[in-house]
Amino acid sequence: MAQTLFDKYGGFDTFSSVVSNFYQKILDSSQLSHYFDGIKMERLMSHQTSFISKALGGPDKYEGRDLVAAHKGFNISDPDFLEMAELLEEALEEAGVEAADVASIIAVITSLKDQVVGR
Amino acid sequence: MSLLLQELFELLDVGVGIFCPDSLRLVESNVLLKEWFRLEKSSDLLSDHLTQDDFARLQKSISKGRIFRLNKLVSINSRLENISFKAHLTTLSDQKNYLFVQGMINNSERESKRIMKEYTIIEKKNKKLLEQEKEKALAANEAKSMFIATMSHELRTPMNGILGMAQKLRSGQLDFTQQRSVRAIESSGKQLLAIINEILDFSKIESNKLELHAQTTDVKSLTLDVLEICSGGIETGDKVTISADIPSSHIPHILVDDVRLRQILINLLSNAIKFTEQGSVVIALDHQLVDEKHAQLVFTITDSGIGMLQEKIDHLFEAFTQHDASTTRRYGGTGLGLAICDQLVELMQGDIKVTSELGKGSEFKVLLTLPIADLKHELKSQAEGEIQDSVEAQKNLQTLDISGKKILIAEDTPINQEVIIMALEDCDVDICMANDGQQALEFFKKSHFDIILMDCLMPVMDGFQTARAIRKLETNGHHIPIIAITASTTDEIARQCHEAGMDDVMHKPFNFEVLVNKVKHWVNQDQKPS
């Protein structure tokens, strides 16, 4: 079996630091930070780590709600989604993920847009 | 800025400064920021102190109006410190845009990574240690089981001498006191043997060496057998009635290790009898078909004895524990009986349930779901009729005459030699005694014998080697019966005996009559292999 992206970049350790860097970027962003007012970041980051790990072929430990339910009521706009994707891209690049792999991860994330935007 | 404020600015533990957003040249900063970036010393351009990647990121952040973050290791007072920098565009009161940079020492991430790493190392180390300890414990337990098995075997050998001599003594001319003494020796010996057997069983179960041998079994008659065995010791004057409650309906034959099932029931029933001074003890059998191939059997042993509290029930099946310390003195026993029962029932994938009330009595239920013997086995069980016939034959054996038959005995222990001779004394046979296998082989070569009784463990040449050598020497379909005599009760020994070419196995200590019957049986086999 081909090595998963999850294993290739060092598993949970790597992706939890990617996620924490990613959320730092989101909270730094005046465009996105308001979505996270009053959100328990630790729990969110733990869910997000599990979610990304699962998406990249790692173990299935994601116990959060499905994407539509999780984003319901936020009314996330297209540009905000793209901004988020860009920040994730940065976070991945900074963790040393190769450009081709960053592109495929972002492609996976972009494919989920309909479940997140305008809900 | 006031002078004091200027001083405070320099006293900050935070590095602060502003740069031109286009050229990234330093405009103003406190000393700390300069030190951390080594600005001025070589160059006051921020870009000269960033890696290419970080520089590209910074430019991107500036163009997108985002916050730029950077972690940098800086040597401060010969100590490496992690400094977190944060930079973003800001417009000051002079209406100009600046890149505002601030940094502070933040070792928390480094620290947590170090702790994580150490934790992983410690965890690995601990896991290894735990595994080593577990192996040690397993090895120690194995050694203990081996020791118990060996000890039990060693104890059985002299028991042969004691019980054998007592049997012989009893049949002689004795006055009343002597009779009583001999009976006491014999019953104590039997009791001791039962304890040794219990310990041996327990160690076998504990080391997973106990195998079950399922046989087609008539559980009704098995239950009645158990009743008969257990009520045997009860004198008629006793205040306890012991009975069996067995349904009159047909119960199919069941595939189960009958020896072990008997052992479980005897244990429970004799326990009930032991703890009941007056009233009744009942063994009841019930059955229910689970499906076409399985039946559930329920054996219920109810007594009106001393009973016990719930907390006692909880520990009832633990090894070496009894009702309480004082009952150990009052009632005797190893405290292994119920532990063995519990484990045997577990091996049969069944269940034991206990209900009890102090002073009123106890109820033990053994629930077993067992396969019904299929047609083939039913046929085999019809063949048990033949076994019944052979029981008849056994009776006939008693009238058989083996006088004048030549018996070769290989046995190294003088007392056991004597015991075997005693057992055969009344048969008027011709005995030739060999002290080891080698000697037995020599005797076998020189003269004709009708049967050989072979101890398994002997010096020079053991029983297995001797039996093999004898089988090699035999020609023209000639086959002398060889009965192994061993203190071991393991399946392994029985298998080894048969592999070595021996025909039957006799366990030490033995009952004289049983040995004589075995000899009679094999001598009359017309020297055909079984």
Side-chain angles (χ1 to χ4, degrees):
Chain A
M1 210 178 86
Q3 195 188 26
T4 63
L5 286 177
F6 178 77
D7 289 329
K8 179 173 174 182
Y9 292 106
F12 274 118
D13 280 0
T14 305
F15 288 100
S16 65
S17 81
V18 166
V19 167
S20 96
N21 189 15
F22 168 55
Y23 278 108
Q24 181 64 68
K25 286 175 187 295
I26 286 180
L27 293 180
D28 279 347
S29 159
S30 52
Q31 188 184 339
L32 300 178
S33 63
H34 68 92
Y35 286 113
F36 299 90
D37 289 347
I39 301 275
K40 285 183 183 139
M41 292 308 287
E42 272 183 18
R43 218 181 83 194
L44 180 63
M45 278 158 73
S46 149
H47 277 326
Q48 190 66 267
T49 307
S50 304
F51 183 79
I52 286 191
S53 300
K54 181 185 161 191
L56 300 185
D60 185 357
K61 286 190 178 173
Y62 183 64
E63 287 170 349
R65 292 171 293 172
D66 75 77
L67 279 185
V68 176
H71 294 92
K72 204 166 182 138
F74 284 103
N75 202 13
I76 295 166
S77 69
D78 246 20
D80 289 350
F81 183 86
L82 291 177
E83 175 75 359
M84 179 282 301
E86 224 180 287
L87 295 180
L88 178 61
E89 193 176 331
E90 273 185 26
L92 289 165
E93 279 167 1
E94 284 166 28
V97 177
E98 289 164 25
D101 293 332
V102 172
S104 59
I105 293 169
I106 295 302
V108 171
I109 298 299
T110 318
S111 74
L112 303 171
K113 196 177 100 173
D114 287 349
Q115 297 181 47
V116 173
V117 170
R119 298 285 165 180
Chain B
M1 191 165 16
S2 79
L3 269 174
L4 278 178
L5 201 58
Q6 179 101 36
E7 265 180 68
L8 275 178
F9 185 62
E10 293 299 343
L11 280 172
L12 274 177
D13 275 343
V14 179
V16 200
I18 46 175
F19 294 80
C20 168
D22 304 316
S23 64
L24 294 181
R25 192 174 296 281
L26 178 69
V27 180
E28 276 293 353
S29 87
N30 65 357
V31 185
L32 219 46
L33 193 79
K34 281 179 196 154
E35 273 179 14
W36 287 349
F37 269 115
R38 310 214 185 288
L39 295 163
E40 284 183 335
K41 271 188 188 152
S42 47
S43 146
D44 60 354
L45 284 176
L46 183 60
S47 47
D48 286 346
H49 303 278
L50 294 174
T51 65
Q52 225 172 348
D53 280 352
D54 288 338
F55 179 57
R57 279 206 302 124
L58 175 63
Q59 280 190 313
K60 193 176 167 191
S61 297
I62 292 170
S63 71
K64 295 255 178 184
R66 284 182 190 148
I67 294 172
F68 169 78
R69 287 181 189 271
L70 172 72
N71 284 317
K72 200 172 153 72
L73 282 177
V74 176
S75 173
I76 300 166
N77 300 331
S78 340
R79 201 169 51 235
L80 267 188
E81 305 270 18
N82 181 66
I83 300 174
S84 292
F85 291 100
K86 180 180 167 188
H88 60 90
L89 286 182
T90 188
T91 312
L92 295 181
S93 53
D94 61 2
Q95 301 304 315
K96 280 186 189 162
N97 271 341
Y98 293 102
L99 181 70
F100 175 51
V101 178
Q102 45 188 323
M104 60 197 299
I105 296 177
N106 174 10
N107 284 325
S108 59
E109 200 180 340
R110 247 178 90 224
E111 196 62 15
S112 67
K113 270 189 184 156
R114 188 183 60 79
I115 291 169
M116 280 281 280
K117 203 172 156 192
E118 274 180 10
Y119 176 76
T120 320
I121 292 169
I122 289 170
E123 204 176 36
K124 269 188 196 157
K125 229 187 204 169
N126 282 349
K127 209 176 152 195
K128 214 171 151 189
L129 276 175
L130 266 177
E131 264 164 24
Q132 280 173 353
E133 289 303 317
K134 192 183 155 198
E135 268 169 37
K136 264 193 219 164
L138 283 176
N141 196 37
E142 175 84 355
K144 185 206 75 187
S145 297
M146 277 296 292
F147 172 74
I148 291 176
T150 315
M151 276 308 293
S152 306
H153 174 255
E154 292 301 317
L155 288 169
R156 288 174 70 90
T157 307
M159 283 311 295
N160 192 36
I162 296 171
L163 286 176
M165 291 297 178
Q167 276 184 79
K168 177 65 201 163
L169 216 55
R170 187 160 47 93
S171 63
Q173 293 289 322
L174 297 174
D175 64 30
F176 181 68
T177 323
Q178 286 168 329
Q179 279 280 4
R180 269 188 57 176
S181 308
V182 172
R183 221 177 290 150
I185 292 173
E186 212 176 2
S187 81
S188 304
K190 277 182 182 162
Q191 216 174 324
L192 185 55
L193 185 64
I195 293 171
I196 294 167
N197 285 343
E198 260 185 4
I199 295 173
L200 196 61
D201 269 349
F202 182 74
S203 69
K204 263 197 257 176
I205 294 172
E206 226 196 7
S207 54
N208 298 321
K209 281 185 184 137
L210 191 107
E211 292 163 24
L212 294 178
H213 302 282
Q215 299 281 338
T216 300
T217 306
D218 177 357
V219 286
K220 269 190 188 181
S221 65
L222 184 139
T223 312
L224 288 172
D225 273 1
V226 169
L227 177 74
E228 200 181 312
I229 292 167
C230 292
S231 53
I234 305 297
E235 286 161 27
T236 42
D238 277 349
K239 298 175 198 155
V240 185
T241 55
I242 302 156
S243 59
D245 179 6
I246 292 173
S248 53
S249 59
H250 169 75
I251 299 181
H253 285 186
I254 301 291
L255 275 180
V256 65
D257 187 325
D258 56 336
V259 176
R260 295 303 178 183
L261 178 58
R262 204 180 295 255
Q263 187 180 359
I264 294 166
L265 297 176
I266 288 176
N267 221 314
L268 293 177
L269 189 59
S270 55
N271 243 358
I273 294 169
K274 186 159 86 176
F275 291 105
T276 305
E277 275 176 17
Q278 56 179 356
S280 64
V281 177
V282 180
I283 177 166
L285 167 64
D286 201 1
H287 91 290
Q288 209 176 335
L289 290 184
V290 177
D291 54 42
E292 281 176 11
K293 289 180 177 168
H294 294 85
Q296 191 187 44
L297 298 178
V298 184
F299 297 92
T300 312
I301 290 115
T302 320
D303 67 61
S304 61
I306 59 172
M308 59 201 143
L309 294 168
Q310 182 59 41
E311 60 252 42
K312 300 287 178 193
I313 298 178
D314 297 340
H315 301 286
L316 204 55
F317 296 108
E318 285 168 15
F320 305 108
T321 61
Q322 254 207 354
H323 184 68
D324 67 28
S326 70
T327 55
T328 305
R329 287 196 294 278
R330 190 167 162 199
Y331 295 100
T334 52
L336 282 176
L338 285 179
I340 293 170
C341 281
D342 186 44
Q343 294 184 14
L344 285 175
V345 170
E346 200 183 307
L347 270 176
M348 294 176 181
Q349 289 167 348
D351 204 4
I352 294 192
K353 286 188 177 141
V354 188
T355 47
S356 186
E357 204 178 323
L358 198 64
K360 295 245 170 102
S362 310
E363 183 188 86
F364 284 75
K365 255 186 203 310
V366 178
L367 299 112
L368 296 170
T369 302
L370 294 164
I372 296 170
D374 63 20
L375 203 62
K376 261 188 232 162
H377 285 96
E378 290 286 0
L379 282 175
K380 208 178 152 195
S381 77
Q382 280 171 15
E384 270 179 6
E386 289 167 26
I387 296 169
Q388 281 297 318
D389 291 346
S390 79
V391 172
E392 289 296 313
Q394 198 83 22
K395 282 182 187 159
N396 292 337
L397 277 178
Q398 289 174 4
T399 57
L400 258 175
D401 185 20
I402 51 166
S403 61
K405 296 285 181 190
K406 288 191 77 180
I407 301 180
L408 174 59
I409 298 169
E411 167 69 65
D412 61 316
T413 322
I415 287 187
N416 285 334
Q417 288 181 353
E418 235 176 289
V419 170
I420 300 175
I421 292 171
M422 278 178 182
L424 297 166
E425 209 172 47
D426 297 335
C427 300
D428 194 21
V429 286
D430 193 357
I431 290 173
C432 175
M433 186 63 70
N435 292 318
D436 58 59
Q438 183 73 48
Q439 216 175 40
L441 193 60
E442 293 307 319
F443 290 154
F444 175 77
K445 282 180 191 163
K446 281 181 196 150
S447 55
H448 165 82
F449 293 100
D450 295 296
I451 190 165
I452 301 173
L453 302 181
M454 183 86 73
D455 185 20
C456 287
L457 304 178
M458 289 181 288
V460 190
M461 192 176 199
D462 68 27
F464 308 114
Q465 289 171 315
T466 315
R468 269 193 206 99
I470 287 171
R471 292 291 176 238
K472 260 189 198 165
L473 289 172
E474 286 175 330
T475 48
N476 298 335
H478 199 84
H479 183 100
I480 182 165
I482 304 177
I483 302 177
I485 295 184
T486 171
S488 269
T489 55
T490 59
D491 297 331
E492 180 63 19
I493 290 283
R495 196 181 54 76
Q496 281 181 352
C497 289
H498 283 111
E499 266 178 18
M502 296 193 242
D503 301 289
D504 206 343
V505 180
M506 186 82 216
H507 295 294
K508 276 190 263 193
F510 48 76
N511 180 286
F512 285 1
E513 202 181 309
V514 176
L515 179 73
V516 171
N517 281 346
K518 260 200 206 296
V519 171
K520 284 180 177 174
H521 169 76
W522 283 104
V523 166
N524 284 284
Q525 283 287 303
D526 279 336
Q527 301 188 345
K528 270 185 231 152
S530 62

